[in-house]
Amino acid sequence: MNTAPIIKHFSNYSPLSDSEISELKSKLIEKKVKRRQFILQEGDVCKHYTFVVSGCFKMYKVDDKGQEHNLQFAIENGWIADIGSFHTDKPSELYIEALEQSIVLQISKPDLIYLYSHYPKFDRNFRVLIENAFISLQKRVLQNISSTAEERYLYFLKSYPNLFNRISNVQIASYIGVTPEFLSKIRKSIATK
Amino acid sequence: MNTAPIIKHFSNYSPLSDSEISELKSKLIEKKVKRRQFILQEGDVCKHYTFVVSGCFKMYKVDDKGQEHNLQFAIENGWIADIGSFHTDKPSELYIEALEQSIVLQISKPDLIYLYSHYPKFDRNFRVLIENAFISLQKRVLQNISSTAEERYLYFLKSYPNLFNRISNVQIASYIGVTPEFLSKIRKSIATK
DNA sequence: AAAAAATCTTAAGCTAGTTTAACCCAAATG
DNA sequence: CATTTGGGTTAAACTAGCTTAAGATTTTTT
């Protein structure tokens, strides 16, 4: 099990001691996930926080008309989970699906709570994690209520320079909240500027 | 200083012991805020988490054209802060302004960190607090990328039944991301259904 | 290697939401 | 009490973004 990436990831926040590392390792579950495979489906309770070692995922909602709306992507060294479902134990409305062949490390809620209560550092690290997620989500809300689709597209390119050339424009369109046809128009208009 | 509401508020998460209560009390700063007064302005670092004892606030961004975009409201027993600025110590892009005469209890970052490190319960309570804020923000993002303005308006009324008859439609329009004129149209169309 | 499925683009017609401007009424201010 | 300010509505003209449909290309699956 390749745990080096997640240990390095935590060391960016506040480095882990040897005992914290060995406890963390004992709680992690490694999973190989094929392209198009789901690690969460609508109706299921989200039972794990998922750390991406390699590969790429999207989390999205399917609306009444059957259309997908991307809420989040995750690539190497990123986390993905339906935090709402995870913490409330209620069925999720979301799907998490691999866009590429991927390897992940998962941690269950009881194991996370165990780490929280025995090692305050995990408490702190996960709070910082969610604070950061909150901050970037807040920026996105502001963008959505105040910017044009073109501005949102440019902001996406700027914010995720390692992602945009790895996923299809269909996925980007679904993330910024426009149709693929309109994104195509935007891209043309940007190119001819 | 009227600290009963905040103590009751925390007891909804995980009740505080006597020593936790007295420590919390010693860290709180009470403030009376007049209508239209700011507790945060663009360019300033957000130095406090603010708990609303009575009254009402809006947090918003002013765009290049001078237009306001409401990110959040807070009424009795709610929290308000620019969490991004608070945690990074960077200047805020946001304003927090009282919509009514208000009374608040504020806690500074050093005091919050003190409470975190001495009393794990605050750690837990504030993590749950921010988790909940994250969850409702995520719902809002989904709404913004997948719903019409009318759906967003109806969802706002449903989500904030104690707020919509207390603030102006101009404020609601700014929150759901439409012009006041168009909200007026929406309201008419709903009324004649 | 062939077939199936997904991607990207273009274009015409349509709809949701904006802009500008004017008017009315209620509420805050001097 | 008089006046300014802000809130809510209406309407006409405009624009951003959607829908439907079709065609060319690439990628995935068999």
Side-chain angles (χ1 to χ4, degrees):
Chain A
M1 183 165 69
N2 176 17
T3 56
I6 196 171
I7 288 159
K8 193 179 169 206
H9 167 77
F10 275 119
S11 76
N12 292 336
Y13 292 90
S14 162
L16 303 179
S17 69
D18 288 350
S19 62
E20 285 161 346
I21 287 172
S22 69
E23 279 281 24
L24 175 62
K25 278 184 178 174
S26 76
K27 303 303 183 193
L28 293 172
I29 306 157
E30 189 180 55
K31 227 183 227 173
K32 287 175 204 223
V33 188
K34 286 185 194 151
R35 188 175 147 82
R36 298 216 173 119
Q37 193 181 329
F38 294 92
I39 57 172
L40 178 69
Q41 283 185 270
E42 186 177 6
D44 293 346
V45 173
C46 181
K47 295 284 192 190
H48 301 90
Y49 262 60
T50 297
F51 178 84
V52 182
V53 173
S54 65
C56 183
F57 290 84
K58 62 174 171 177
M59 179 163 77
Y60 60 94
K61 180 178 180 178
V62 178
D63 70 18
D64 316 326
K65 294 171 197 153
Q67 263 175 321
E68 295 180 10
H69 301 279
N70 285 339
L71 193 53
Q72 197 199 317
F73 297 108
I75 57 172
E76 287 79 25
N77 302 308
W79 290 90
I80 196 156
D82 177 355
I83 294 179
S85 169
F86 182 88
H87 287 290
T88 62
D89 291 312
K90 287 184 187 152
S92 178
E93 297 186 343
L94 306 176
Y95 295 84
I96 302 177
E97 181 185 336
L99 290 169
E100 302 172 0
Q101 174 142 354
S102 304
I103 297 172
V104 300
L105 296 172
Q106 295 190 308
I107 185 161
S108 73
K109 191 170 165 183
D111 286 343
L112 189 62
I113 288 170
Y114 172 86
L115 290 179
Y116 279 173
S117 53
H118 290 74
Y119 300 88
K121 202 178 285 166
F122 287 108
D123 224 328
R124 198 179 318 148
N125 282 344
F126 274 88
R127 193 181 49 244
V128 173
L129 211 72
I130 198 175
E131 275 163 8
N132 290 340
F134 183 88
I135 291 162
S136 65
L137 205 56
Q138 210 168 49
K139 279 190 190 146
R140 190 167 165 204
V141 171
L142 269 178
Q143 274 252 325
N144 283 334
I145 60 176
S146 68
S147 305
T148 63
E150 177 170 327
E151 288 167 334
R152 296 198 306 271
Y153 176 63
L154 292 171
Y155 182 74
F156 179 85
L157 297 186
K158 210 176 88 184
S159 306
Y160 302 98
N162 301 319
L163 188 56
F164 80 91
N165 46 8
R166 196 165 155 182
I167 61 180
S168 74
N169 288 321
V170 175
Q171 298 306 326
I172 297 177
S174 166
Y175 183 90
I176 64 174
V178 296
T179 59
E181 293 83 357
F182 191 62
L183 177 54
S184 188
K185 238 183 187 172
I186 291 172
R187 285 159 50 76
K188 191 183 178 187
S189 131
I190 290 170
T192 60
K193 263 177 189 167
Chain B
M1 184 165 68
N2 175 19
T3 56
I6 196 171
I7 289 159
K8 193 180 167 202
H9 168 77
F10 275 119
S11 77
N12 293 335
Y13 293 91
S14 162
L16 304 179
S17 70
D18 287 352
S19 63
E20 285 161 348
I21 289 173
S22 71
E23 279 282 25
L24 174 62
K25 278 184 179 175
S26 77
K27 304 302 183 194
L28 294 172
I29 306 155
E30 188 181 54
K31 228 183 226 173
K32 287 174 205 225
V33 188
K34 285 185 196 152
R35 188 174 144 84
R36 298 213 174 122
Q37 193 181 329
F38 294 91
I39 57 172
L40 178 69
Q41 283 185 269
E42 185 176 7
D44 293 346
V45 173
C46 181
K47 295 283 191 191
H48 300 90
Y49 262 59
T50 298
F51 178 84
V52 182
V53 174
S54 65
C56 182
F57 291 84
K58 62 174 172 179
M59 179 163 77
Y60 60 93
K61 181 178 179 179
V62 177
D63 70 19
D64 316 328
K65 294 171 197 152
Q67 264 175 322
E68 296 181 8
H69 301 278
N70 286 339
L71 193 54
Q72 196 200 318
F73 297 108
I75 56 172
E76 287 79 26
N77 301 308
W79 289 90
I80 198 156
D82 178 354
I83 294 180
S85 168
F86 182 88
H87 287 290
T88 62
D89 291 311
K90 287 184 186 151
S92 178
E93 297 186 341
L94 306 176
Y95 294 84
I96 301 177
E97 182 185 338
L99 290 168
E100 303 172 0
Q101 172 139 357
S102 304
I103 297 172
V104 301
L105 296 172
Q106 295 190 308
I107 185 162
S108 73
K109 191 169 166 182
D111 286 342
L112 189 62
I113 288 169
Y114 172 87
L115 289 180
Y116 280 172
S117 52
H118 290 74
Y119 301 87
K121 201 177 287 166
F122 287 108
D123 224 329
R124 197 179 319 148
N125 282 342
F126 274 88
R127 194 182 48 243
V128 173
L129 211 70
I130 198 175
E131 277 164 7
N132 290 339
F134 183 87
I135 291 163
S136 65
L137 205 55
Q138 212 169 46
K139 280 190 190 148
R140 191 167 164 202
V141 170
L142 270 179
Q143 274 251 324
N144 283 335
I145 62 178
S146 69
S147 305
T148 63
E150 178 171 326
E151 289 167 333
R152 297 198 305 273
Y153 176 61
L154 292 172
Y155 182 74
F156 179 86
L157 297 186
K158 210 175 90 185
S159 306
Y160 302 98
N162 303 317
L163 188 55
F164 80 92
N165 46 9
R166 195 164 155 182
I167 62 180
S168 74
N169 288 323
V170 174
Q171 298 306 325
I172 297 176
S174 166
Y175 182 92
I176 63 174
V178 296
T179 59
E181 292 82 358
F182 190 61
L183 178 54
S184 189
K185 242 184 186 169
I186 291 172
R187 287 160 48 77
K188 191 183 176 185
S189 130
I190 291 171
T192 59
K193 265 178 187 164

